[in-house]
Amino acid sequence: MYQNFEKIYGNLIDYVTLLGAQKAEFKTKLIYTIALVIVLAIVLVSVFVIYKDSYVEKMGELQLVLTIVGIVFAALFIFALINLGKSSKTYNKIFKKEILPRLLKNIDENLNYEPSKGLPKETYVQSGLAIKFNQFGSEDHISGFISETALLEMSEIDARKIEKDDKGNSHVVDQFSGILAVATLRKNAQTNVKIVKNSFWKLSREANIRIASVQFEKYFDVYADDKVAAMQIFTTDVIEEIMAFVEELKIHLQLSIKGNKLYITFKTGEMYEGGITKNTKELLSRYYVITDFIVNLIKRINIAIDEAEI
């Protein structure tokens, strides 16, 4: 997997170099901004030192000087922040327009990327994996036919809950931040399956299925209304692939199958963003590994359902 990424990264090096230039510009502007703050702080201290023995007699003059210094400081600081914002915006534009689409095409040539589009909240609710929320946002939409038969759609989503305390003050509680993927499979699974984080409190009114993997059961609880069908879909190969991913990246995932729909959530936090202050190669490697896993897992489950006697 990582060997494949190294080859892909080599093909992207020209665009990564452009990002490097933007990073260098950002760092230069950041240094100038910090220097500006230091210089103006020195000026303020100097003003107080000059007036320290006569600030009462020259209060009006002191206030005028401080006002002028404050206005100049505010104007220069705002200008500096705008410049930093422009560099960051240019960096992210290159990252999303030039690099991410090429990275995704190297995973599967059918994948298309639309940064401003997202999945609707109804898809999250329909997955059966949603945590109670009343605010929802989604962007960075990826879609395409996997192996020409399974339609994949995935996006970064943020689900939040607005709560009020005893005093009536509102607070935002982050419920979920990460990836939601949904695939329309080639064949109806003829069962509903849910794989969720291992919990002492088991889901009610559903049969708990035991998987022949001690490690898997440390992480997950499995529920299905047809045990035989579920076991045929989640073969040893599928279970091993899920465990290898979870143990390596330490990312919490949950999964559900409803008819011919497969839903997967990954609690990754922010995804598919450039991160001008972050290591570009490490960021791209993370995005590659997660997306590649999603695509391969869908392919495996699609094949398992095709081969299952259901």
Side-chain angles (χ1 to χ4, degrees):
M1 184 182 293
Y2 288 102
Q3 289 179 344
N4 291 339
F5 171 73
E6 289 296 333
K7 183 178 179 180
I8 293 169
Y9 186 76
N11 294 333
L12 296 173
I13 198 65
D14 289 343
Y15 298 100
V16 173
T17 301
L18 286 176
L19 291 183
Q22 287 299 318
K23 276 191 175 185
E25 181 181 319
F26 180 84
K27 288 179 180 179
T28 300
K29 290 178 178 179
L30 183 60
I31 291 171
Y32 284 150
T33 302
I34 294 171
L36 172 65
V37 172
I38 293 172
V39 169
L40 288 173
I42 292 173
V43 170
L44 285 174
V45 171
S46 299
V47 168
F48 277 108
V49 169
I50 292 171
Y51 285 92
K52 68 177 183 178
D53 296 324
S54 56
Y55 72 92
V56 175
E57 295 85 353
K58 299 183 178 180
M59 179 63 73
E61 186 177 329
L62 175 60
Q63 288 178 340
L64 177 62
V65 172
L66 290 177
T67 299
I68 293 172
V69 171
I71 292 173
V72 172
F73 173 82
L76 291 176
F77 190 68
I78 291 171
F79 178 75
L81 288 179
I82 291 173
N83 270 329
L84 287 173
K86 285 181 179 179
S87 293
S88 182
K89 187 176 181 180
T90 302
Y91 179 95
N92 220 34
K93 184 178 180 180
I94 295 172
F95 189 86
K96 292 198 171 194
K97 184 178 179 180
E98 305 294 346
I99 293 183
L100 269 182
R102 287 175 170 82
L103 180 73
L104 294 170
K105 289 292 184 184
N106 276 278
I107 294 172
D108 191 296
E109 62 181 8
N110 296 311
L111 293 180
N112 298 302
Y113 175 60
E114 299 174 90
S116 60
K117 185 179 176 181
L119 286 170
K121 64 181 179 181
E122 288 78 14
T123 302
Y124 184 44
V125 174
Q126 290 162 6
S127 72
L129 304 171
I131 303 171
K132 190 175 181 181
F133 67 95
N134 50 30
Q135 268 195 358
F136 183 86
S138 181
E139 62 178 0
D140 294 312
H141 186 265
I142 298 168
S143 63
F145 278 93
I146 308 301
S147 300
E148 299 180 354
T149 55
L151 175 60
L152 165 67
E153 287 189 273
M154 57 184 284
S155 290
E156 177 188 342
I157 68 170
D158 286 295
R160 298 169 293 274
K161 187 178 180 182
I162 307 298
E163 295 181 341
K164 288 189 176 182
D165 57 24
D166 296 336
K167 297 180 179 179
N169 298 316
S170 296
H171 302 278
V172 178
V173 180
D174 292 325
Q175 298 291 77
F176 180 85
S177 177
I179 292 294
L180 168 63
V182 55
T184 304
L185 304 173
R186 186 164 42 212
K187 182 179 174 182
N188 193 310
Q190 303 298 327
T191 184
N192 294 323
V193 183
K194 186 179 289 186
I195 299 179
V196 295
K197 185 178 180 182
N198 183 281
S199 173
F200 175 78
W201 300 104
K202 308 300 181 183
L203 297 176
S204 62
R205 299 178 184 176
E206 296 182 77
N208 191 0
I209 296 175
R210 298 189 67 82
I211 297 294
S213 169
V214 176
Q215 282 299 102
F216 190 84
E217 291 195 341
K218 285 182 179 179
Y219 285 95
F220 301 104
D221 289 331
V222 182
Y223 303 87
D225 48 27
D226 187 328
K227 180 178 180 179
V228 175
M231 297 297 287
Q232 288 180 339
I233 296 169
F234 291 94
T235 61
T236 301
D237 287 347
V238 173
I239 294 301
E240 287 178 351
E241 183 159 353
I242 292 174
M243 284 310 305
F245 174 83
V246 171
E247 291 187 332
E248 181 179 356
L249 273 75
K250 309 301 181 187
I251 291 175
H252 172 51
L253 71 86
Q254 298 193 126
L255 179 154
S256 69
I257 295 177
K258 293 185 174 183
N260 70 332
K261 294 285 188 180
L262 166 65
Y263 302 89
I264 318 173
T265 60
F266 297 81
K267 201 169 185 178
T268 58
E270 185 179 75
M271 281 283 290
Y272 304 120
E273 299 298 329
I276 196 168
T277 60
K278 298 178 181 178
N279 184 295
T280 302
K281 187 174 182 179
E282 290 179 0
L283 211 56
L284 288 173
S285 176
R286 174 180 169 82
Y287 297 162
Y288 170 79
V289 170
I290 293 172
T291 310
D292 188 60
F293 168 76
I294 294 171
V295 170
N296 286 325
L297 182 62
I298 290 170
K299 288 179 180 178
R300 280 186 179 274
I301 292 177
N302 204 28
I303 292 170
I305 292 176
D306 273 352
E307 295 177 349
E309 297 177 0
I310 52 179

PDB file of all heavy atoms in Angstrom, residues 27-60:
ATOM      1  N   LYS A  27       5.240  31.252   5.324  1.00  0.00           N
ATOM      2  CA  LYS A  27       6.169  31.358   6.448  1.00  0.00           C
ATOM      3  C   LYS A  27       6.821  32.735   6.500  1.00  0.00           C
ATOM      4  O   LYS A  27       7.005  33.309   7.581  1.00  0.00           O
ATOM      5  CB  LYS A  27       7.230  30.265   6.353  1.00  0.00           C
ATOM      6  CG  LYS A  27       6.711  28.870   6.676  1.00  0.00           C
ATOM      7  CD  LYS A  27       7.806  27.832   6.541  1.00  0.00           C
ATOM      8  CE  LYS A  27       7.268  26.437   6.865  1.00  0.00           C
ATOM      9  NZ  LYS A  27       8.321  25.398   6.708  1.00  0.00           N
ATOM     10  N   THR A  28       7.173  33.259   5.320  1.00  0.00           N
ATOM     11  CA  THR A  28       7.789  34.592   5.263  1.00  0.00           C
ATOM     12  C   THR A  28       6.822  35.651   5.793  1.00  0.00           C
ATOM     13  O   THR A  28       7.192  36.514   6.598  1.00  0.00           O
ATOM     14  CB  THR A  28       8.184  34.937   3.808  1.00  0.00           C
ATOM     15  OG1 THR A  28       9.119  33.970   3.328  1.00  0.00           O
ATOM     16  CG2 THR A  28       8.811  36.323   3.738  1.00  0.00           C
ATOM     17  N   LYS A  29       5.569  35.569   5.346  1.00  0.00           N
ATOM     18  CA  LYS A  29       4.565  36.533   5.805  1.00  0.00           C
ATOM     19  C   LYS A  29       4.297  36.374   7.304  1.00  0.00           C
ATOM     20  O   LYS A  29       4.067  37.362   8.009  1.00  0.00           O
ATOM     21  CB  LYS A  29       3.266  36.342   5.021  1.00  0.00           C
ATOM     22  CG  LYS A  29       3.362  36.775   3.556  1.00  0.00           C
ATOM     23  CD  LYS A  29       2.059  36.522   2.819  1.00  0.00           C
ATOM     24  CE  LYS A  29       2.142  36.999   1.380  1.00  0.00           C
ATOM     25  NZ  LYS A  29       0.894  36.739   0.622  1.00  0.00           N
ATOM     26  N   LEU A  30       4.335  35.125   7.773  1.00  0.00           N
ATOM     27  CA  LEU A  30       4.115  34.871   9.197  1.00  0.00           C
ATOM     28  C   LEU A  30       5.237  35.488  10.032  1.00  0.00           C
ATOM     29  O   LEU A  30       4.991  36.090  11.088  1.00  0.00           O
ATOM     30  CB  LEU A  30       4.031  33.371   9.451  1.00  0.00           C
ATOM     31  CG  LEU A  30       3.723  32.939  10.893  1.00  0.00           C
ATOM     32  CD1 LEU A  30       2.376  33.487  11.341  1.00  0.00           C
ATOM     33  CD2 LEU A  30       3.747  31.418  11.015  1.00  0.00           C
ATOM     34  N   ILE A  31       6.467  35.352   9.550  1.00  0.00           N
ATOM     35  CA  ILE A  31       7.620  35.946  10.249  1.00  0.00           C
ATOM     36  C   ILE A  31       7.484  37.461  10.297  1.00  0.00           C
ATOM     37  O   ILE A  31       7.730  38.097  11.334  1.00  0.00           O
ATOM     38  CB  ILE A  31       8.934  35.533   9.554  1.00  0.00           C
ATOM     39  CG1 ILE A  31       9.193  34.036   9.772  1.00  0.00           C
ATOM     40  CG2 ILE A  31      10.110  36.360  10.082  1.00  0.00           C
ATOM     41  CD1 ILE A  31      10.343  33.495   8.953  1.00  0.00           C
ATOM     42  N   TYR A  32       7.086  38.069   9.163  1.00  0.00           N
ATOM     43  CA  TYR A  32       6.890  39.519   9.117  1.00  0.00           C
ATOM     44  C   TYR A  32       5.800  39.957  10.093  1.00  0.00           C
ATOM     45  O   TYR A  32       5.912  40.993  10.755  1.00  0.00           O
ATOM     46  CB  TYR A  32       6.510  39.965   7.699  1.00  0.00           C
ATOM     47  CG  TYR A  32       7.669  39.998   6.731  1.00  0.00           C
ATOM     48  CD1 TYR A  32       7.478  39.761   5.376  1.00  0.00           C
ATOM     49  CD2 TYR A  32       8.955  40.275   7.168  1.00  0.00           C
ATOM     50  CE1 TYR A  32       8.534  39.791   4.476  1.00  0.00           C
ATOM     51  CE2 TYR A  32      10.029  40.312   6.283  1.00  0.00           C
ATOM     52  CZ  TYR A  32       9.813  40.067   4.940  1.00  0.00           C
ATOM     53  OH  TYR A  32      10.857  40.092   4.069  1.00  0.00           O
ATOM     54  N   THR A  33       4.736  39.144  10.190  1.00  0.00           N
ATOM     55  CA  THR A  33       3.637  39.470  11.103  1.00  0.00           C
ATOM     56  C   THR A  33       4.105  39.433  12.554  1.00  0.00           C
ATOM     57  O   THR A  33       3.786  40.328  13.351  1.00  0.00           O
ATOM     58  CB  THR A  33       2.473  38.478  10.901  1.00  0.00           C
ATOM     59  OG1 THR A  33       2.032  38.527   9.545  1.00  0.00           O
ATOM     60  CG2 THR A  33       1.306  38.829  11.823  1.00  0.00           C
ATOM     61  N   ILE A  34       4.856  38.390  12.892  1.00  0.00           N
ATOM     62  CA  ILE A  34       5.392  38.268  14.253  1.00  0.00           C
ATOM     63  C   ILE A  34       6.342  39.421  14.562  1.00  0.00           C
ATOM     64  O   ILE A  34       6.313  40.010  15.652  1.00  0.00           O
ATOM     65  CB  ILE A  34       6.107  36.915  14.426  1.00  0.00           C
ATOM     66  CG1 ILE A  34       5.089  35.765  14.330  1.00  0.00           C
ATOM     67  CG2 ILE A  34       6.831  36.857  15.774  1.00  0.00           C
ATOM     68  CD1 ILE A  34       5.720  34.394  14.285  1.00  0.00           C
ATOM     69  N   ALA A  35       7.190  39.753  13.578  1.00  0.00           N
ATOM     70  CA  ALA A  35       8.138  40.870  13.756  1.00  0.00           C
ATOM     71  C   ALA A  35       7.379  42.177  13.969  1.00  0.00           C
ATOM     72  O   ALA A  35       7.776  43.018  14.796  1.00  0.00           O
ATOM     73  CB  ALA A  35       9.047  40.977  12.528  1.00  0.00           C
ATOM     74  N   LEU A  36       6.272  42.350  13.207  1.00  0.00           N
ATOM     75  CA  LEU A  36       5.451  43.558  13.342  1.00  0.00           C
ATOM     76  C   LEU A  36       4.896  43.671  14.755  1.00  0.00           C
ATOM     77  O   LEU A  36       4.940  44.748  15.369  1.00  0.00           O
ATOM     78  CB  LEU A  36       4.306  43.507  12.327  1.00  0.00           C
ATOM     79  CG  LEU A  36       3.228  44.589  12.451  1.00  0.00           C
ATOM     80  CD1 LEU A  36       3.824  45.958  12.156  1.00  0.00           C
ATOM     81  CD2 LEU A  36       2.074  44.291  11.501  1.00  0.00           C
ATOM     82  N   VAL A  37       4.387  42.572  15.277  1.00  0.00           N
ATOM     83  CA  VAL A  37       3.825  42.571  16.636  1.00  0.00           C
ATOM     84  C   VAL A  37       4.902  42.935  17.649  1.00  0.00           C
ATOM     85  O   VAL A  37       4.676  43.731  18.571  1.00  0.00           O
ATOM     86  CB  VAL A  37       3.224  41.189  16.969  1.00  0.00           C
ATOM     87  CG1 VAL A  37       2.822  41.116  18.446  1.00  0.00           C
ATOM     88  CG2 VAL A  37       2.010  40.922  16.088  1.00  0.00           C
ATOM     89  N   ILE A  38       6.103  42.364  17.473  1.00  0.00           N
ATOM     90  CA  ILE A  38       7.201  42.642  18.408  1.00  0.00           C
ATOM     91  C   ILE A  38       7.602  44.112  18.366  1.00  0.00           C
ATOM     92  O   ILE A  38       7.793  44.760  19.404  1.00  0.00           O
ATOM     93  CB  ILE A  38       8.415  41.741  18.075  1.00  0.00           C
ATOM     94  CG1 ILE A  38       8.069  40.273  18.365  1.00  0.00           C
ATOM     95  CG2 ILE A  38       9.649  42.167  18.881  1.00  0.00           C
ATOM     96  CD1 ILE A  38       9.126  39.296  17.899  1.00  0.00           C
ATOM     97  N   VAL A  39       7.738  44.650  17.142  1.00  0.00           N
ATOM     98  CA  VAL A  39       8.138  46.057  16.981  1.00  0.00           C
ATOM     99  C   VAL A  39       7.116  46.995  17.619  1.00  0.00           C
ATOM    100  O   VAL A  39       7.473  47.936  18.350  1.00  0.00           O
ATOM    101  CB  VAL A  39       8.316  46.403  15.485  1.00  0.00           C
ATOM    102  CG1 VAL A  39       8.452  47.914  15.300  1.00  0.00           C
ATOM    103  CG2 VAL A  39       9.532  45.697  14.920  1.00  0.00           C
ATOM    104  N   LEU A  40       5.843  46.736  17.350  1.00  0.00           N
ATOM    105  CA  LEU A  40       4.803  47.605  17.912  1.00  0.00           C
ATOM    106  C   LEU A  40       4.708  47.467  19.433  1.00  0.00           C
ATOM    107  O   LEU A  40       4.397  48.427  20.136  1.00  0.00           O
ATOM    108  CB  LEU A  40       3.460  47.280  17.264  1.00  0.00           C
ATOM    109  CG  LEU A  40       3.333  47.752  15.802  1.00  0.00           C
ATOM    110  CD1 LEU A  40       2.056  47.240  15.175  1.00  0.00           C
ATOM    111  CD2 LEU A  40       3.379  49.273  15.722  1.00  0.00           C
ATOM    112  N   ALA A  41       4.995  46.265  19.942  1.00  0.00           N
ATOM    113  CA  ALA A  41       5.022  46.078  21.400  1.00  0.00           C
ATOM    114  C   ALA A  41       6.151  46.906  22.008  1.00  0.00           C
ATOM    115  O   ALA A  41       5.982  47.527  23.073  1.00  0.00           O
ATOM    116  CB  ALA A  41       5.217  44.594  21.724  1.00  0.00           C
ATOM    117  N   ILE A  42       7.298  46.922  21.326  1.00  0.00           N
ATOM    118  CA  ILE A  42       8.436  47.733  21.791  1.00  0.00           C
ATOM    119  C   ILE A  42       8.070  49.219  21.781  1.00  0.00           C
ATOM    120  O   ILE A  42       8.411  49.978  22.704  1.00  0.00           O
ATOM    121  CB  ILE A  42       9.669  47.467  20.906  1.00  0.00           C
ATOM    122  CG1 ILE A  42      10.171  46.032  21.119  1.00  0.00           C
ATOM    123  CG2 ILE A  42      10.782  48.467  21.210  1.00  0.00           C
ATOM    124  CD1 ILE A  42      11.276  45.623  20.164  1.00  0.00           C
ATOM    125  N   VAL A  43       7.365  49.633  20.716  1.00  0.00           N
ATOM    126  CA  VAL A  43       6.945  51.036  20.613  1.00  0.00           C
ATOM    127  C   VAL A  43       6.028  51.404  21.781  1.00  0.00           C
ATOM    128  O   VAL A  43       6.193  52.461  22.410  1.00  0.00           O
ATOM    129  CB  VAL A  43       6.220  51.285  19.270  1.00  0.00           C
ATOM    130  CG1 VAL A  43       5.571  52.679  19.265  1.00  0.00           C
ATOM    131  CG2 VAL A  43       7.195  51.158  18.116  1.00  0.00           C
ATOM    132  N   LEU A  44       5.090  50.543  22.084  1.00  0.00           N
ATOM    133  CA  LEU A  44       4.161  50.809  23.196  1.00  0.00           C
ATOM    134  C   LEU A  44       4.906  50.919  24.525  1.00  0.00           C
ATOM    135  O   LEU A  44       4.628  51.811  25.334  1.00  0.00           O
ATOM    136  CB  LEU A  44       3.111  49.699  23.270  1.00  0.00           C
ATOM    137  CG  LEU A  44       2.021  49.728  22.201  1.00  0.00           C
ATOM    138  CD1 LEU A  44       1.142  48.490  22.302  1.00  0.00           C
ATOM    139  CD2 LEU A  44       1.167  50.986  22.343  1.00  0.00           C
ATOM    140  N   VAL A  45       5.826  49.979  24.747  1.00  0.00           N
ATOM    141  CA  VAL A  45       6.608  50.013  25.987  1.00  0.00           C
ATOM    142  C   VAL A  45       7.422  51.306  26.050  1.00  0.00           C
ATOM    143  O   VAL A  45       7.516  51.964  27.105  1.00  0.00           O
ATOM    144  CB  VAL A  45       7.534  48.784  26.065  1.00  0.00           C
ATOM    145  CG1 VAL A  45       8.509  48.937  27.245  1.00  0.00           C
ATOM    146  CG2 VAL A  45       6.722  47.505  26.220  1.00  0.00           C
ATOM    147  N   SER A  46       7.999  51.705  24.905  1.00  0.00           N
ATOM    148  CA  SER A  46       8.815  52.924  24.852  1.00  0.00           C
ATOM    149  C   SER A  46       7.983  54.156  25.183  1.00  0.00           C
ATOM    150  O   SER A  46       8.439  55.066  25.886  1.00  0.00           O
ATOM    151  CB  SER A  46       9.435  53.071  23.451  1.00  0.00           C
ATOM    152  OG  SER A  46      10.267  51.973  23.156  1.00  0.00           O
ATOM    153  N   VAL A  47       6.739  54.173  24.682  1.00  0.00           N
ATOM    154  CA  VAL A  47       5.849  55.307  24.952  1.00  0.00           C
ATOM    155  C   VAL A  47       5.585  55.422  26.449  1.00  0.00           C
ATOM    156  O   VAL A  47       5.650  56.521  27.027  1.00  0.00           O
ATOM    157  CB  VAL A  47       4.516  55.138  24.181  1.00  0.00           C
ATOM    158  CG1 VAL A  47       3.483  56.154  24.687  1.00  0.00           C
ATOM    159  CG2 VAL A  47       4.739  55.310  22.690  1.00  0.00           C
ATOM    160  N   PHE A  48       5.317  54.303  27.099  1.00  0.00           N
ATOM    161  CA  PHE A  48       5.071  54.326  28.548  1.00  0.00           C
ATOM    162  C   PHE A  48       6.314  54.748  29.321  1.00  0.00           C
ATOM    163  O   PHE A  48       6.226  55.448  30.331  1.00  0.00           O
ATOM    164  CB  PHE A  48       4.596  52.952  29.020  1.00  0.00           C
ATOM    165  CG  PHE A  48       3.123  52.723  28.812  1.00  0.00           C
ATOM    166  CD1 PHE A  48       2.678  51.854  27.836  1.00  0.00           C
ATOM    167  CD2 PHE A  48       2.187  53.392  29.591  1.00  0.00           C
ATOM    168  CE1 PHE A  48       1.331  51.642  27.644  1.00  0.00           C
ATOM    169  CE2 PHE A  48       0.820  53.174  29.401  1.00  0.00           C
ATOM    170  CZ  PHE A  48       0.385  52.308  28.415  1.00  0.00           C
ATOM    171  N   VAL A  49       7.466  54.306  28.834  1.00  0.00           N
ATOM    172  CA  VAL A  49       8.717  54.682  29.506  1.00  0.00           C
ATOM    173  C   VAL A  49       8.931  56.189  29.404  1.00  0.00           C
ATOM    174  O   VAL A  49       9.317  56.861  30.371  1.00  0.00           O
ATOM    175  CB  VAL A  49       9.913  53.923  28.891  1.00  0.00           C
ATOM    176  CG1 VAL A  49      11.240  54.516  29.409  1.00  0.00           C
ATOM    177  CG2 VAL A  49       9.825  52.446  29.232  1.00  0.00           C
ATOM    178  N   ILE A  50       8.673  56.741  28.203  1.00  0.00           N
ATOM    179  CA  ILE A  50       8.870  58.176  27.977  1.00  0.00           C
ATOM    180  C   ILE A  50       7.949  59.018  28.867  1.00  0.00           C
ATOM    181  O   ILE A  50       8.339  60.046  29.412  1.00  0.00           O
ATOM    182  CB  ILE A  50       8.629  58.521  26.486  1.00  0.00           C
ATOM    183  CG1 ILE A  50       9.742  57.904  25.627  1.00  0.00           C
ATOM    184  CG2 ILE A  50       8.569  60.035  26.276  1.00  0.00           C
ATOM    185  CD1 ILE A  50       9.480  57.992  24.138  1.00  0.00           C
ATOM    186  N   TYR A  51       6.717  58.516  29.030  1.00  0.00           N
ATOM    187  CA  TYR A  51       5.728  59.311  29.761  1.00  0.00           C
ATOM    188  C   TYR A  51       5.561  58.879  31.226  1.00  0.00           C
ATOM    189  O   TYR A  51       4.682  59.381  31.917  1.00  0.00           O
ATOM    190  CB  TYR A  51       4.368  59.220  29.060  1.00  0.00           C
ATOM    191  CG  TYR A  51       4.271  60.035  27.791  1.00  0.00           C
ATOM    192  CD1 TYR A  51       4.573  59.451  26.562  1.00  0.00           C
ATOM    193  CD2 TYR A  51       3.870  61.362  27.825  1.00  0.00           C
ATOM    194  CE1 TYR A  51       4.471  60.181  25.387  1.00  0.00           C
ATOM    195  CE2 TYR A  51       3.763  62.096  26.656  1.00  0.00           C
ATOM    196  CZ  TYR A  51       4.070  61.504  25.447  1.00  0.00           C
ATOM    197  OH  TYR A  51       3.972  62.235  24.290  1.00  0.00           O
ATOM    198  N   LYS A  52       6.387  57.944  31.681  1.00  0.00           N
ATOM    199  CA  LYS A  52       6.141  57.370  33.004  1.00  0.00           C
ATOM    200  C   LYS A  52       6.208  58.398  34.146  1.00  0.00           C
ATOM    201  O   LYS A  52       5.527  58.251  35.164  1.00  0.00           O
ATOM    202  CB  LYS A  52       7.138  56.249  33.280  1.00  0.00           C
ATOM    203  CG  LYS A  52       8.576  56.699  33.443  1.00  0.00           C
ATOM    204  CD  LYS A  52       9.471  55.521  33.786  1.00  0.00           C
ATOM    205  CE  LYS A  52      10.910  55.992  34.011  1.00  0.00           C
ATOM    206  NZ  LYS A  52      11.793  54.873  34.391  1.00  0.00           N
ATOM    207  N   ASP A  53       7.040  59.433  33.971  1.00  0.00           N
ATOM    208  CA  ASP A  53       7.192  60.414  35.058  1.00  0.00           C
ATOM    209  C   ASP A  53       6.243  61.591  34.927  1.00  0.00           C
ATOM    210  O   ASP A  53       6.140  62.414  35.836  1.00  0.00           O
ATOM    211  CB  ASP A  53       8.638  60.933  35.103  1.00  0.00           C
ATOM    212  CG  ASP A  53       9.619  59.817  35.442  1.00  0.00           C
ATOM    213  OD1 ASP A  53       9.249  58.941  36.258  1.00  0.00           O
ATOM    214  OD2 ASP A  53      10.733  59.811  34.886  1.00  0.00           O
ATOM    215  N   SER A  54       5.558  61.683  33.800  1.00  0.00           N
ATOM    216  CA  SER A  54       4.695  62.858  33.615  1.00  0.00           C
ATOM    217  C   SER A  54       3.368  62.498  32.950  1.00  0.00           C
ATOM    218  O   SER A  54       2.807  63.301  32.225  1.00  0.00           O
ATOM    219  CB  SER A  54       5.425  63.903  32.742  1.00  0.00           C
ATOM    220  OG  SER A  54       5.810  63.323  31.505  1.00  0.00           O
ATOM    221  N   TYR A  55       2.922  61.253  33.196  1.00  0.00           N
ATOM    222  CA  TYR A  55       1.705  60.805  32.490  1.00  0.00           C
ATOM    223  C   TYR A  55       0.467  61.562  32.940  1.00  0.00           C
ATOM    224  O   TYR A  55      -0.504  61.699  32.201  1.00  0.00           O
ATOM    225  CB  TYR A  55       1.505  59.294  32.666  1.00  0.00           C
ATOM    226  CG  TYR A  55       1.081  58.870  34.045  1.00  0.00           C
ATOM    227  CD1 TYR A  55      -0.272  58.744  34.376  1.00  0.00           C
ATOM    228  CD2 TYR A  55       2.034  58.577  35.013  1.00  0.00           C
ATOM    229  CE1 TYR A  55      -0.656  58.335  35.637  1.00  0.00           C
ATOM    230  CE2 TYR A  55       1.649  58.173  36.269  1.00  0.00           C
ATOM    231  CZ  TYR A  55       0.308  58.055  36.583  1.00  0.00           C
ATOM    232  OH  TYR A  55      -0.065  57.654  37.827  1.00  0.00           O
ATOM    233  N   VAL A  56       0.469  62.097  34.195  1.00  0.00           N
ATOM    234  CA  VAL A  56      -0.703  62.836  34.664  1.00  0.00           C
ATOM    235  C   VAL A  56      -0.800  64.171  33.934  1.00  0.00           C
ATOM    236  O   VAL A  56      -1.855  64.542  33.428  1.00  0.00           O
ATOM    237  CB  VAL A  56      -0.625  63.068  36.195  1.00  0.00           C
ATOM    238  CG1 VAL A  56      -1.791  63.956  36.634  1.00  0.00           C
ATOM    239  CG2 VAL A  56      -0.639  61.742  36.932  1.00  0.00           C
ATOM    240  N   GLU A  57       0.351  64.904  33.888  1.00  0.00           N
ATOM    241  CA  GLU A  57       0.364  66.207  33.227  1.00  0.00           C
ATOM    242  C   GLU A  57       0.135  66.083  31.722  1.00  0.00           C
ATOM    243  O   GLU A  57      -0.464  66.955  31.089  1.00  0.00           O
ATOM    244  CB  GLU A  57       1.707  66.917  33.465  1.00  0.00           C
ATOM    245  CG  GLU A  57       1.965  67.276  34.927  1.00  0.00           C
ATOM    246  CD  GLU A  57       2.580  66.100  35.702  1.00  0.00           C
ATOM    247  OE1 GLU A  57       2.661  64.995  35.111  1.00  0.00           O
ATOM    248  OE2 GLU A  57       2.940  66.298  36.874  1.00  0.00           O
ATOM    249  N   LYS A  58       0.626  65.000  31.137  1.00  0.00           N
ATOM    250  CA  LYS A  58       0.533  64.839  29.671  1.00  0.00           C
ATOM    251  C   LYS A  58      -0.429  63.709  29.280  1.00  0.00           C
ATOM    252  O   LYS A  58      -0.211  63.010  28.290  1.00  0.00           O
ATOM    253  CB  LYS A  58       1.928  64.571  29.099  1.00  0.00           C
ATOM    254  CG  LYS A  58       2.911  65.702  29.344  1.00  0.00           C
ATOM    255  CD  LYS A  58       4.258  65.408  28.696  1.00  0.00           C
ATOM    256  CE  LYS A  58       5.235  66.569  28.891  1.00  0.00           C
ATOM    257  NZ  LYS A  58       6.544  66.303  28.258  1.00  0.00           N
ATOM    258  N   MET A  59      -1.463  63.553  30.057  1.00  0.00           N
ATOM    259  CA  MET A  59      -2.416  62.467  29.813  1.00  0.00           C
ATOM    260  C   MET A  59      -3.039  62.579  28.428  1.00  0.00           C
ATOM    261  O   MET A  59      -3.170  61.590  27.698  1.00  0.00           O
ATOM    262  CB  MET A  59      -3.516  62.475  30.869  1.00  0.00           C
ATOM    263  CG  MET A  59      -4.577  61.381  30.669  1.00  0.00           C
ATOM    264  SD  MET A  59      -3.888  59.716  30.792  1.00  0.00           S
ATOM    265  CE  MET A  59      -3.601  59.629  32.568  1.00  0.00           C
ATOM    266  N   GLY A  60      -3.433  63.787  28.034  1.00  0.00           N
ATOM    267  CA  GLY A  60      -4.047  63.974  26.729  1.00  0.00           C
ATOM    268  C   GLY A  60      -3.099  63.603  25.603  1.00  0.00           C
ATOM    269  O   GLY A  60      -3.469  62.944  24.629  1.00  0.00           O
TER     270      GLY A  60
END
